[in-house]
């Protein structure tokens, strides 16, 4: 429902109520003023006004009331919490009379909504990113079960006078992470974005007099220096966090064109010299990784690895900007201060890279209430919605969003202003290939590399093999 129409209806109904209250239950005839009374001219003007009000009342009485609709919204509860979704749903309802948002928010959203979807009962809108273990978003993409959102980009943001496409930060709509088929058609609406990089304790660097490394040679030198103090150079929450890390190093090693060729499974690309640099770099980093990391690199114990940098037991941890909020109540070393840097350049003279992770929202092709679902997606880019999300540190990729930020977030979201190259995108969609999950082969193998159970050569060959199978299944 268009906002102007809603406002018009509300004003009209308010006017109608005022007229009815003024008329009451008594005689509605006006008593003529005595002849010669100076009020007679006023009395003659009252009748047309009354007729006009009665006509308006009749017209508005014939205007249909706001249509009652139930919009089913399913959202993943990540590190930002669930409360923001309730607040945004309430704000949407307030601006769209007659609409009730039926909200489902859960940390294991796939487990909650998949059974109903298999039975044919789909949510109207789903907020669930790619890259998750259950791969529900990717599965529906491979099955061509998503609704195109290109027309949403041409919609006006509800309550504002700007189109959705003009509100979104440039670059977010020109990537496989929004156009999964590489055909220029948007199926994923970009949501909360987070520059990814290496988090560290800036207070430790001040205490030790260390310089923040700008190259991998400087990283290795720092690792050797810190080892003398019993501090490891590196840790990671789970191998899943190597997606952003690997994407950044791939782009740094061979440039954006090379990165896109990797993402589209070009024949032999993973056997190339640039790819070999990345495999070898990660393997070497494994030798500088804190000893307990692999044992705790799972969904139950990953915060123990994140705690290592707060306790000065490890220096760097790859993550996104949700990390400080996720560890807000965790104990920390005296003088702890969040620091954040891009992944150092792979090649001498190159710039550091930061993969920009963002979450996605989509509409199932089988959604029952598609028009209102599109309206809800468009509303996600309103200033009103963005300010609600920002209170939970969930930052929408809209122009001017930095106006809502303060504290650590100003540091994190300035990484690209400080010279880092932004990297965005992900693997191209393919038809399902039984037993093949590219991210599992590429990133999930890191534990085995760090533990020494697999060699770099075995890892590289496995990734190339998976790439070959997925290339054959590209659509």
């Amino acid at each position: 429902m268009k906002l102007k129409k809603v406002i018009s209806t509300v004003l009209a109904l308010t006017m109608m109520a005022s007229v009815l209250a003024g008329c009451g239950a008594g005689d509605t005839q006006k008593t003529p003023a005595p002849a010669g009374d100076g009020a007679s001219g006023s009395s003659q003007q009252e009748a047309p006004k009354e007729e006009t009000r009665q006509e308006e009342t009749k017209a508005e009485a014939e205007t249909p009331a706001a249509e009652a609709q139930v919009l089913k919204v399913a959202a993943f509860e990540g590190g930002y919490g669930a409360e923001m979704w309730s607040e945004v749903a309430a704000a949407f309802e307030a601006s769209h009379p007659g609409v009730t948002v039926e909200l489902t928010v859960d940390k294991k959203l796939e487990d909650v909504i998949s059974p109903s979807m298999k039975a044919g009962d789909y949510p109207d809108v789903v907020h669930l990113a790619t890259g998750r273990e259950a791969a529900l978003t990717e599965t529906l993409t491979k099955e061509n079960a998503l609704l195109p959102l290109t027309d949403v980009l041409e919609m006006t943001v509800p309550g504002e006078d700007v189109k959705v496409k003009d509100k979104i930060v440039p670059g977010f709509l020109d990537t496989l992470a929004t156009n999964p088929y590489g055909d220029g058609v948007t199926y994923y609406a970009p949501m909360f974005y987070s520059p990814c990089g290496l988090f560290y304790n800036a207070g430790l660097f001040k205490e030790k007099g260390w310089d923040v490394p700008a190259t991998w040679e400087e990283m290795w030198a720092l690792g050797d220096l810190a080892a003398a103090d019993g501090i490891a150079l590196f840790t990671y929450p789970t191998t899943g966090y190597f997606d952003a890390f690997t994407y950044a190093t791939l782009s740094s090693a061979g440039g954006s064109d090379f990165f896109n060729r990797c993402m589209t499974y070009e024949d032999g690309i993973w056997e190339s010299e640039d790819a070999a640099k990345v495999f070898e770099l990660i393997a070497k980093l494994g030798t500088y990784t804190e000893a307990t990391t692999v044992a705790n690199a799972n969904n139950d114990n990953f915060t123990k690895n994140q705690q290592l940098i707060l306790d000065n037991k490890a220096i760097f941890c790859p993550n996104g900007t949700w990390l400080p909020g996720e560890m807000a109540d965790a104990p920390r070393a005296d003088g702890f201060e969040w620091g954040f840097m891009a992944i150092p350049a792979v090649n001498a003279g190159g710039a550091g890279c930061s993969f920009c992770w963002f979450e996605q929202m989509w509409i199932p092709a089988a959604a029952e209430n598609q028009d209102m679902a599109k309206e809800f997606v468009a509303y996600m880019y309103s200033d009103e919605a963005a300010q609600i999300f920002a209170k939970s540190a969930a930052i929408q990729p809209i122009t001017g969003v930095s106006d809502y930020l303060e504290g650590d977030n100003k540091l994190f979201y300035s990484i690209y202003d400080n010279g880092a190259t932004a990297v965005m995108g992900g693997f191209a969609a393919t038809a399902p290939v039984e037993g093949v999950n590219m991210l599992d082969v590429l990133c999930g193998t890191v534990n085995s590399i760090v533990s020494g159970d697999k060699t770099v050569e075995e890892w590289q060959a496995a990734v190339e093999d998976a790439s070959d199978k997925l290339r054959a299944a590209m659509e």
Side-chain angles (χ1 to χ4, degrees):
M1 181 180 294
K2 299 296 183 183
L3 184 58
K4 290 183 179 179
K5 183 177 179 180
V6 172
I7 294 174
S8 176
T9 302
V10 171
L11 290 176
L13 290 175
T14 302
M15 182 183 294
M16 182 174 69
S18 176
V19 171
L20 291 176
C23 291
D27 190 356
T28 60
Q29 284 293 117
K30 290 289 181 181
T31 303
D37 192 316
S40 60
S42 173
S43 176
Q44 292 172 358
Q45 295 174 5
E46 287 293 321
K49 288 184 178 180
E50 183 63 25
E51 291 174 2
T52 299
R53 286 176 181 155
Q54 290 176 349
E55 290 174 359
E56 290 175 346
T57 300
K58 180 180 179 181
E60 294 302 337
E62 295 174 352
T63 300
E67 181 183 356
Q69 300 181 65
V70 174
L71 184 71
K72 294 185 290 186
V73 176
F76 170 67
E77 180 186 350
Y80 308 122
E83 184 178 348
M84 66 179 189
W85 285 107
S86 297
E87 190 173 348
V88 163
F92 183 78
E93 290 175 340
S95 63
H96 293 73
V99 176
T100 298
V101 176
E102 184 180 287
L103 190 61
T104 300
V105 183
D106 200 275
K107 294 180 179 179
K108 296 183 178 180
L109 187 65
E110 299 95 332
D111 295 344
V112 175
I113 66 175
S114 290
S116 297
M117 290 170 64
K118 290 178 181 177
D121 182 13
Y122 285 76
D124 295 307
V125 181
V126 181
H127 164 256
L128 187 67
T130 55
R132 288 178 53 77
E133 184 176 355
L136 177 60
T137 299
E138 289 89 338
T139 298
L140 291 178
T141 302
K142 294 171 184 177
E143 295 174 351
N144 295 308
L146 300 183
L147 193 71
L149 300 181
T150 303
D151 57 340
V152 175
L153 303 179
E154 298 294 334
M155 292 173 61
T156 299
V157 176
E160 301 180 11
D161 59 359
V162 60
K163 289 185 177 181
V164 171
K165 68 177 183 180
D166 295 327
K167 196 74 181 287
I168 297 174
V169 172
F172 278 81
L173 299 175
D174 303 317
T175 165
L176 290 171
T178 51
N179 308 332
Y181 303 111
D183 58 359
V185 179
T186 299
Y187 286 84
Y188 306 149
M191 291 289 287
F192 318 127
Y193 82 111
S194 172
C196 296
L198 299 176
F199 284 80
Y200 60 94
N201 177 8
L204 178 63
F205 278 75
K206 294 177 182 178
E207 176 188 334
K208 298 289 188 180
W210 295 339
D211 292 326
V212 177
T215 68
W216 280 104
E217 290 306 315
E218 292 176 359
M219 284 284 281
W220 308 138
L222 177 61
D224 294 336
L225 181 64
D229 288 338
I231 304 174
L233 179 67
F234 189 72
T235 187
Y236 53 91
T238 69
T239 57
Y241 284 76
F242 272 91
D243 53 2
F245 184 96
T246 304
Y247 294 157
T249 52
L250 285 169
S251 185
S252 179
S256 59
D257 180 64
F258 169 74
F259 172 71
N260 288 330
R261 287 156 58 200
C262 291
M263 296 300 103
T264 51
Y265 320 106
E266 182 178 300
D267 189 17
I269 196 67
W270 294 100
E271 298 172 324
S272 67
E273 181 180 351
D274 286 329
K277 292 178 184 178
V278 175
F279 288 115
E280 291 165 2
L281 186 152
I282 294 175
K284 184 170 182 177
L285 189 57
T287 66
Y288 285 89
T289 297
E290 202 277 338
T292 63
T293 295
V294 172
N296 292 318
N298 53 64
N299 290 335
D300 294 325
N301 298 314
F302 69 95
T303 56
K304 293 182 179 180
N305 289 339
Q306 294 175 170
Q307 184 68 39
L308 292 173
I309 63 170
L310 277 71
D311 293 338
N312 290 338
K313 294 181 179 179
I315 300 178
F316 293 109
C317 180
N319 220 304
T321 53
W322 57 85
L323 176 63
E326 199 168 59
M327 303 299 288
D329 298 326
R332 59 204 63 208
D334 292 339
F336 183 89
E337 179 184 338
W338 286 112
F340 184 56
M341 62 177 277
I343 309 298
V346 174
N347 301 315
C353 288
S354 168
F355 180 79
C356 184
W357 163 263
F358 58 89
E359 301 180 26
Q360 292 113 327
M361 176 173 278
W362 38 272
I363 300 174
E368 182 176 347
N369 200 351
Q370 294 182 2
D371 289 340
M372 189 56 65
K374 291 179 179 179
E375 181 81 358
F376 186 83
V377 173
Y379 177 74
M380 294 297 95
Y381 303 99
S382 67
D383 288 343
E384 182 177 56
Q387 290 179 49
I388 293 173
F389 288 134
K391 290 188 296 183
S392 297
I395 311 303
Q396 281 292 73
I398 65 173
T399 55
V401 73
S402 60
D403 294 341
Y404 314 138
L405 307 182
E406 57 185 22
D408 289 331
N409 273 337
K410 281 195 176 291
L411 166 66
F412 305 149
Y413 284 85
S414 67
I415 190 169
Y416 301 122
D417 298 328
N418 295 332
T421 299
V423 180
M424 288 184 283
F427 286 105
T430 71
V433 178
E434 185 176 356
V436 179
N437 183 314
M438 191 62 173
L439 282 175
D440 186 50
V441 178
L442 179 61
C443 302
T445 306
V446 171
N447 277 344
S448 298
I449 297 299
V450 175
S451 66
D453 292 336
K454 284 191 177 180
T455 67
V456 169
E457 292 74 21
E458 291 172 332
W459 182 23
Q460 188 171 5
V463 173
E464 177 64 25
D465 181 62
S467 181
D468 289 340
K469 293 176 180 177
L470 292 172
R471 181 175 63 259
M474 281 188 66
E475 299 179 346

